[in-house]
Amino acid sequence: MAEPIPLPISRPSLSEPIPERPRAVAVLRLSNLTRATTSPGRQRAVIQSCADRLGYALIAEAVDFNVSARTTTPFERPSLATWLRSPDDYDAVVWSHVDRATRSVADMTKLIAWGRQNDRTLVFATPDEKGPLVVSPATNDATIRRCLRLARIAEQEANTLSARLTSSHEALRAAGRYGGGLVPFGYRKAPHPSGIGWALAPDLEAAAIVHTIVDEVRSGLSLVAIARKLNEASVPVPRDRHAQLQGRPMGGRRHGRHFERFRWTAGTLCKVLRSPSLMGHRVHNGQTVGDAAGLPVMIGLPLLTADEFRTLQDTLRTRSNGSHPKSRPTALLTGVVHCAACGGRMYFAARKNKPYGDYACRATARGELCASPAGMRSDWLEDYTVDHYLRTLGPTAPVSRADLLRHGVRVTVSKRARDEALAGRTGPDTSRLTFTAAVSHADAQPR
């Protein structure tokens, strides 16, 4: 009897790798995160279902909570912006809805242009009853129009809601009621005397701190020195004190970094000391709110009398010499150049009667200490950065701050040695500088 012939078994060829599913990043955004909200969980569920339906493998999340789509573009949000600057790590970006991505037609237009430029797909899981909206680099005009129409609806909804909230808060301010938000330092929420709603009353613990700060300003102590003393004593800043009174943990995220608690700075002190709320006034946009007769609407007992407040403002005005820097475009290297010692950003400062300025470590302004704060002439540092950028990535167009950030350029500066001679120098000491970029010339070429 002949031996049976074995049936062929189908096996994938070792020379032909099993195709992988396209990679996608899930994006979550929420304007106001509270303990009661279920939105993050619902967004995740919708995105996962959509990814499974379209065959995407979710590899990461970009999570931006307490971030408004009306006031920040997708390219400015701490988590999402990081992913948008690294498009080679995935194939698609998935949101649960258009309004989680943006509430602006202009921002949506830029997002679509980003997708085409980087050959990446934008997915909105539940834009309407028609099902997922997929905007690929080859998407037709009809899909683009649908996407922009939904963005326009989201923008109109945001504008309507903003107008209603503005009207509501105006009515609350006129009635002397607390309408929510950050409580002025020195006060706390309390029942309104009428028995309806809330008002503000002095927070005895914070009020004592206010009086101490005012006394130290009168004694001639600088705001930087006062901020340092408050930080050393672990006195909570207004934002952290408000969290304490609400029963929430202190700290949070700022500029993409997490802080266990925030620190006092000269800027924070200036905002507290210049606010008419110290006189018990209701304040809106930094100004006292008046009633129908033009008198201040009171929110509680004043911490300072009107005379004490005027004297304090005169003292602060004398120190500032009445000079305030004029608004100017953001410096080329803001967010690009960092201090080597503390890792913090360096910022541009103008020089009087000079066409150039300086980039300097601003650890003190952040309420922090830097062991070796760095600084360098702006023109030298900008020329160095642009030269290395062009040699590394090879573009021919003028270099902008957006270009540097998009390609992950980072320059660090070490502090100048004490005995370093500057006489006759025509450029930077490059031994103090390091240049890195997230992509190379080959990676930066158009697809």
Side-chain angles (χ1 to χ4, degrees):
M1 182 175 180
E3 294 183 2
I5 300 175
L7 296 175
I9 299 175
S10 176
R11 293 186 178 90
S13 170
L14 295 178
S15 62
E16 299 178 2
I18 300 174
E20 296 182 355
R21 290 194 296 166
R23 300 161 300 166
V25 174
V27 183
L28 282 70
R29 186 198 61 78
L30 194 62
S31 296
N32 295 293
L33 179 65
T34 66
R35 293 179 178 178
T37 184
T38 60
S39 179
R42 286 184 283 112
Q43 290 185 50
R44 285 190 177 95
V46 170
I47 291 173
Q48 184 65 63
S49 175
C50 177
D52 293 342
R53 176 177 177 179
L54 299 178
Y56 286 114
L58 296 177
I59 62 170
E61 282 187 352
V63 179
D64 290 304
F65 293 151
N66 295 315
V67 175
S68 168
R70 188 169 180 268
T71 58
T72 62
T73 73
F75 303 92
E76 295 172 334
R77 296 168 201 162
S79 183
L80 176 56
T82 302
W83 284 99
L84 294 180
R85 289 196 294 267
S86 304
D88 292 338
D89 296 337
Y90 50 90
D91 303 290
V93 187
V94 187
W95 289 267
S96 63
H97 199 279
V98 170
D99 61 14
R100 296 302 172 188
T102 179
R103 285 185 177 271
S104 163
V105 174
D107 289 347
M108 179 60 78
T109 302
K110 294 177 182 177
L111 202 55
I112 294 171
W114 172 89
R116 287 185 167 178
Q117 179 182 350
N118 293 283
D119 194 21
R120 293 296 175 262
T121 298
L122 312 178
V123 179
F124 307 98
T126 57
D128 53 28
E129 68 281 356
K130 296 181 181 179
L133 174 59
V134 180
V135 184
S136 69
T139 291
N140 58 36
D141 291 344
T143 302
I144 297 295
R145 286 195 297 270
R146 180 186 170 202
C147 187
L148 294 177
R149 177 178 61 81
L150 293 169
R152 183 175 294 105
I153 292 173
E155 183 175 3
Q156 292 170 345
E157 289 175 346
N159 291 337
T160 300
L161 179 60
S162 176
R164 288 176 179 171
L165 288 174
T166 298
S167 176
S168 174
H169 281 275
E170 286 176 352
L172 289 170
R173 284 193 294 271
R177 291 199 178 101
Y178 169 64
L182 187 64
V183 175
F185 192 66
Y187 291 88
R188 64 186 303 157
K189 189 170 73 169
H192 194 274
S194 67
I196 301 174
W198 298 92
L200 296 179
D203 172 13
L204 298 183
E205 184 176 333
I209 295 170
V210 168
H211 285 112
T212 299
I213 294 171
V214 172
D215 289 342
E216 292 187 330
V217 170
R218 290 170 179 164
S219 71
L221 203 61
S222 71
L223 296 185
V224 171
I226 296 173
R228 185 177 299 119
K229 290 180 64 175
L230 292 171
N231 289 325
E232 290 173 351
S234 298
V235 174
V237 300
R239 180 171 170 179
D240 282 343
R241 180 58 180 168
H242 181 66
Q244 281 185 328
L245 295 175
Q246 295 290 315
R248 295 185 285 106
M250 295 189 292
R253 294 188 66 82
R254 178 180 289 170
H255 305 309
R257 298 171 58 195
H258 180 79
F259 297 87
E260 293 298 325
R261 60 187 300 159
F262 295 106
R263 296 178 64 83
W264 286 93
T265 66
T268 304
L269 280 170
C270 197
K271 289 180 181 179
V272 170
L273 296 175
R274 291 188 179 277
S275 174
S277 63
L278 295 178
M279 296 183 289
H281 292 184
R282 168 73 69 184
V283 175
H284 180 59
N285 289 335
Q287 302 297 320
T288 295
V289 175
D291 60 15
L295 298 175
V297 174
M298 303 299 292
I299 58 173
L301 297 174
L303 304 184
L304 300 178
T305 67
D307 288 340
E308 289 172 333
F309 184 77
R310 279 193 294 269
T311 301
L312 176 62
Q313 301 315 300
D314 290 341
T315 302
L316 295 173
R317 200 175 301 112
T318 300
R319 291 189 181 186
S320 66
N321 217 10
S323 61
H324 299 280
K326 295 181 179 179
S327 60
R328 51 178 169 77
T330 303
L332 177 66
L333 302 185
T334 300
V336 175
V337 61
H338 295 75
C339 174
C342 67
R345 287 185 177 185
M346 296 172 65
Y347 291 92
F348 177 86
R351 285 197 194 184
K352 190 174 183 179
N353 300 324
K354 295 288 185 180
Y356 55 84
D358 297 280
Y359 285 96
C361 174
R362 294 292 302 278
T364 302
R366 300 192 301 271
E368 301 173 359
L369 293 177
C370 177
S372 299
M376 182 170 282
R377 264 180 57 165
S378 61
D379 54 341
W380 291 354
L381 194 52
E382 289 173 357
D383 288 346
Y384 166 88
T385 303
V386 170
D387 177 64
H388 278 65
Y389 175 81
L390 294 173
R391 281 193 281 157
T392 302
L393 288 98
T396 57
V399 179
S400 68
R401 177 172 175 264
D403 294 328
L404 298 174
L405 293 174
R406 184 171 65 253
H407 291 127
V409 173
R410 181 183 176 93
V411 176
T412 62
V413 185
S414 299
K415 185 177 181 179
R416 177 173 61 88
R418 182 169 298 180
D419 57 352
E420 181 183 332
L422 292 178
R425 175 162 293 165
T426 58
D429 175 6
T430 55
S431 67
R432 297 168 52 200
L433 305 175
T434 64
F435 176 97
T436 57
V439 295
S440 66
H441 170 67
D443 295 330
Q445 297 304 307
R447 296 178 181 272

